[in-house]
Amino acid sequence: MIKIAIAGIGGVGGYFGGLLASYYQNSDEVEVYFIARGENESTIRQQGLKIKTPGSTFTATPKLVTSDPTQIGEADLLICCTKSYDLEQSITQLKPCIGKQTVILPLLNGIDSYERIKTVYPENEVWEGCVYIVSRLTEPGLVTVTGDVNALFFGSTNGTEARLESALQLFTDAGIKATLSQNIQQTIWEKYLFISTIATLTSYLNTSIGGILAKTENMDLLHSLLSELKQVANAKGIVFPENSTNAIKERMAKLPYETTSSMHTDYQKGKNAEVDSLTGYVVKLGKQLNIPTPTYEKLYTALKNK
């Protein structure tokens, strides 16, 4: 029996975990567990998790939904979809699910999840991953997906090949658009180039992605952020394709005008935001690598004072 636990049943964990739970609901070989809290936990327990996409709506029922990891026990694969500012705390609380053989796959917005998890669990196999999706937990027990992009990338430079291939099969069988990346660091940095600049700018300007595209001065800020982040990445040995800036603008233009980042949404709701992972981390890396990041510094200071 393969035991998969998904921690953090929000927009990301809810969608991908929902596909897994739905497909393997009556399986004799795979069990899917949700780790959720509060109203979300109780609603899912009573009526399942509803996932609403532009093309369909379905309800997923996991083997068990709980806020208590001891009820699940050791998992074969633990997928972490918590917020990046909660990572150390949540991964420590998940100890009852983590045995020697447990593989941990973070699907978080930052680029330092691997190092942070390895610090807590140095003996475990930790993979790296990222997703492209616009989805939100719009109310307890309901995940709403907008747009038609829903891709998951994962990989590892030193992971067990057989386990990586097995996970790919599990994901794709469940209908997840999953790719086993041969250069996951590059994949994650390419995602970070998009998410860091967009999250920073939507939050700083208090506007949508369409609102950024609509004004020249907003686009000037975007270009400054992209330029600074690329220089930092280059110093880390990451080189982006020449057309990466245009590719980002094209991706933005394909999204509905009012689409925004989850960080901006958190600011609007007065909730804790991932500003340290998505904005501050660039400033921190810039200082370590002696790369100036004046635009990032200015916006990070403003966002920290919000």
Side-chain angles (χ1 to χ4, degrees):
M1 181 65 73
I2 296 168
K3 214 172 186 181
I4 303 174
I6 295 103
I9 307 298
V12 171
Y15 176 74
F16 293 104
L19 284 173
L20 288 167
S22 177
Y23 183 77
Y24 293 112
Q25 187 172 339
N26 300 310
S27 169
D28 295 329
E29 295 167 8
V30 181
E31 290 177 345
V32 179
Y33 294 82
F34 287 177
I35 299 160
R37 292 194 296 249
E39 279 186 68
N40 202 28
E41 178 195 352
S42 52
T43 303
I44 296 168
R45 182 172 295 128
Q46 287 159 21
Q47 55 202 45
L49 175 68
K50 196 172 176 183
I51 293 105
K52 197 174 171 183
T53 75
S56 68
T57 300
F58 66 96
T59 301
T61 309
K63 173 87 175 169
L64 175 73
V65 57
T66 180
S67 54
D68 178 8
T70 57
Q71 292 188 2
I72 297 170
E74 289 183 13
D76 296 290
L77 176 61
L78 174 63
I79 304 175
C80 283
C81 304
T82 52
K83 291 286 191 181
S84 59
Y85 49 75
D86 277 341
L87 183 57
E88 280 80 5
Q89 185 187 357
S90 60
I91 202 83
T92 305
Q93 288 169 349
L94 293 168
K95 198 171 177 38
C97 295
I98 301 170
K100 283 182 180 169
Q101 294 303 311
T102 304
V103 173
I104 305 169
L105 171 61
L107 297 176
L108 277 69
N109 274 333
I111 42 175
D112 58 345
S113 307
Y114 172 86
E115 290 90 351
R116 291 166 67 187
I117 294 171
K118 268 292 192 187
T119 303
V120 185
Y121 297 103
E123 302 301 314
N124 282 78
E125 190 165 317
V126 179
W127 297 346
E128 296 183 79
C130 66
V131 300
Y132 286 97
I133 190 168
V134 181
S135 58
R136 300 280 186 277
L137 185 73
T138 37
E139 60 184 68
L142 173 65
V143 169
T144 306
V145 181
T146 48
D148 55 0
V149 180
N150 45 48
L152 186 159
F153 295 85
F154 73 107
S156 171
T157 46
N158 50 17
T160 312
E161 196 61 40
R163 298 184 84 175
L164 286 158
E165 292 288 353
S166 166
L168 179 64
Q169 194 67 56
L170 285 168
F171 292 158
T172 49
D173 284 352
I176 293 172
K177 292 175 187 167
T179 302
L180 178 52
S181 173
Q182 296 311 307
N183 187 350
I184 191 64
Q185 275 288 304
Q186 180 77 26
T187 307
I188 285 173
W189 270 95
E190 284 175 12
K191 156 83 187 279
Y192 192 72
L193 185 67
F194 179 77
I195 193 88
S196 167
T197 51
I198 298 305
T200 301
L201 216 43
T202 49
S203 303
Y204 174 73
L205 297 168
N206 191 23
T207 192
S208 66
I209 286 176
I212 294 171
L213 291 168
K215 290 187 176 175
T216 310
E217 60 266 33
N218 293 350
M219 290 303 289
D220 288 344
L221 272 176
L222 176 65
H223 284 124
S224 295
L225 291 174
L226 286 167
S227 170
E228 290 175 10
L229 184 43
K230 282 181 182 181
Q231 287 170 45
V232 168
N234 286 348
K236 291 278 287 180
I238 302 288
V239 180
F240 295 106
E242 274 185 35
N243 69 337
S244 56
T245 296
N246 283 334
I248 281 176
K249 289 193 281 195
E250 282 169 20
R251 188 185 301 158
M252 290 168 72
K254 282 181 187 166
L255 293 165
Y257 184 96
E258 68 282 357
T259 307
T260 192
S261 64
S262 57
M263 185 163 101
H264 180 214
T265 304
D266 286 341
Y267 269 113
Q268 287 175 313
K269 291 180 178 172
K271 287 164 71 176
N272 206 345
E274 295 182 293
V275 65
D276 287 320
S277 290
L278 293 178
T279 312
Y281 190 66
V282 181
V283 177
K284 183 177 158 187
L285 270 184
K287 288 196 166 99
Q288 283 174 6
L289 300 162
N290 290 320
I291 306 287
T293 56
T295 316
Y296 261 101
E297 284 188 37
K298 178 187 165 189
L299 272 54
Y300 178 57
T301 303
L303 288 169
K304 286 297 275 186
N305 292 328
K306 265 201 175 205

